[in-house]
Amino acid sequence: MKLNKAYLYKVHLPLVSPFRTSYGILHQKSFYLIGLEDELGNIGYGELEAFPLPDYTEETLEGAKQVVTDFLLEELSGKEIEQPEQVSQIFAWIRGNEMAKASVESACYDLFAKRQKTSLAHFIGAKKKEISVGVSIGIQKNKRSLVEKVRSYVSAGYGRVKVKIQPGADFSYLKAVRDEFPELPLLADANSAYKEEDLNDLLRLDQLNITMIEQPFGVRDLWLHAELQKRLERMAVCLDENIRSLEDVKQAFAFGSCRAINLKMARVGGLHEALQIAEFCKQRKIIVWCGGMLEAGVGRAYNVALAARNEFQFPGDISATDRYFEQDIIKQNFELINGKIYVPEGLGIGVEIDEQALSRFAESFETILLG
């Protein structure tokens, strides 16, 4: 396969409601939609997930876009690509910039699946036709609002709920949810909001039958996560921001820093690395599940295909389209049916771009000639 052109759309999708984490508040999903056209005229799509500010990882949306245009597309220009795994090898000399790499590499996977006249899910070895999913809830203004928000999602069919927490909005908030929903699988996500002096506060959460606590400490602190995991009786520590590669997972396992991994394809550089991580977790009996980054339809399609592999037995943060957007840039939304989302069976990622919606929400568009 050779690439002829790249298309870049800068898109802003309004969120149904503001999404608050310990990093801040988001009112819209801003991203670049990347289209890669091969010599046969097929177009594969990827979604550049970096956030506008360097708060979740070091990457920013505009910085990652520059890496895509100045380095990644240049590296692929004129090259014959025989397998999608080659793409990550070609990019290997570029340090970091995982989300930039993932946006281009994923579009290549879409192209290869389309060229083989199959779905992306089938192409990467996924067996499930539907996946169980959970929902992630941002930090709420008070306990009552949180309980009402949880109730609305449980009523909608979500069987697993993750609640964002931070100091001052943690134990009492989670206890209010647990009192109302004693059997609900419940996760807490701290987004690195805690420090070593907060260790005892986090240990109290073990009283609430919380399934996992996600990323309580810093993004490079494997030792402190290991100390917490060692002292917890029931709750699993789940790592998110710490994990950028298979090597990170191996180190976390060696330290005993976690019993679960929130695997986000964009955060680890693409599908090839994500598949290797999933296999390692299966071999080492680490719980692995598919996380979300407020993806629009293209990014959500990749998450669904990945989560359809057998390594993923725990419901991920994928959610239906209407959880985040009134209108997406794809023609057919992902819908929640009896707590599950069906895996697209069409060619490639299995969703079609809604050109009218894309035109409505796109701020800019550019074409880059390759080869």
Side-chain angles (χ1 to χ4, degrees), residues 70 130 283 291 332 355:
D70 292 359
E130 59 185 21
Q283 293 173 358
Q332 186 173 7
E355 299 291 344

Side-chain angles (χ1 to χ4, degrees), residues 16 25 28 33 55-56 66 88 100 105 120 132 151 157 177 184 186 197 209 214 238 252 254 270 278 307 327 359-360:
V16 171
I25 302 176
Q28 64 182 10
L33 177 69
D55 46 11
Y56 176 72
Q66 187 170 353
S88 61
E105 189 229 45
L120 176 68
S132 297
R151 182 177 289 110
V177 175
L184 177 68
L186 189 60
E197 55 265 32
N209 192 27
E214 184 179 328
C238 176
Q327 184 176 7
S359 177
R360 175 186 173 190

Side-chain angles (χ1 to χ4, degrees), residues 32-249:
Y32 279 93
L33 177 69
I34 297 175
L36 298 181
E37 183 178 308
D38 67 12
E39 79 281 11
L40 301 178
N42 300 303
I43 300 178
Y45 289 100
E47 200 172 291
L48 180 52
E49 306 295 356
F51 292 107
L53 300 177
D55 46 11
Y56 176 72
T57 70
E58 300 85 348
E59 285 183 90
T60 65
L61 183 59
E62 293 305 320
K65 184 258 187 181
Q66 187 170 353
V67 170
V68 168
T69 56
D70 292 359
F71 299 104
L72 303 183
L73 294 179
E74 284 294 319
E75 282 295 314
L76 296 181
S77 183
K79 285 189 171 67
E80 182 74 36
I81 307 170
E82 296 181 0
Q83 297 292 335
E85 294 86 353
Q86 284 180 255
V87 177
S88 61
Q89 297 169 8
I90 293 169
F91 294 163
W93 70 272
I94 300 171
R95 292 184 181 273
N97 295 284
E98 288 87 1
M99 295 188 196
K101 292 176 181 177
S103 67
V104 176
E105 189 229 45
S106 60
C108 290
Y109 267 90
D110 186 23
L111 276 174
F112 271 95
K114 286 173 176 172
R115 290 167 70 96
Q116 293 193 17
K117 304 283 193 274
T118 189
S119 69
L120 176 68
H122 182 265
F123 185 77
I124 65 172
K127 304 296 185 184
K128 302 174 196 171
K129 300 299 182 183
E130 59 185 21
I131 58 171
S132 297
V133 297
V135 66
S136 179
I137 299 177
I139 297 171
Q140 301 298 303
K141 60 184 179 180
N142 55 50
K143 291 177 284 186
R144 181 178 177 181
S145 297
L146 175 60
V147 170
E148 290 304 313
K149 185 74 74 172
V150 171
R151 182 177 289 110
S152 69
Y153 288 123
V154 170
S155 298
Y158 290 101
R160 189 234 73 188
V161 171
K162 184 172 83 175
V163 174
K164 300 284 186 178
I165 62 170
Q166 65 182 13
D170 43 31
F171 184 87
S172 63
Y173 280 61
L174 291 168
K175 187 177 187 303
V177 175
R178 178 52 76 219
D179 289 344
E180 189 72 18
F181 302 95
E183 303 300 325
L184 177 68
L186 189 60
L187 283 68
D189 185 5
N191 290 120
S192 300
Y194 292 82
K195 302 184 183 303
E196 184 174 359
E197 55 265 32
D198 302 314
L199 193 61
N200 287 332
D201 291 334
L202 294 172
L203 290 171
R204 288 184 68 207
L205 301 182
D206 221 9
Q207 304 171 21
L208 301 176
N209 192 27
I210 306 296
T211 304
M212 297 177 196
I213 178 160
E214 184 179 328
Q215 196 68 41
F217 302 119
V219 298
R220 291 291 183 265
D221 201 336
L222 293 177
W223 172 80
L224 198 50
H225 283 105
E227 283 296 301
L228 176 62
Q229 184 64 89
K230 182 170 61 178
R231 295 171 61 179
L232 289 168
E233 294 183 9
R234 294 177 294 275
M235 188 166 59
V237 171
C238 176
L239 292 183
D240 177 357
E241 288 94 323
N242 278 70
I243 305 302
R244 315 290 180 86
S245 67
L246 174 60
E247 293 306 312
D248 290 337
V249 179

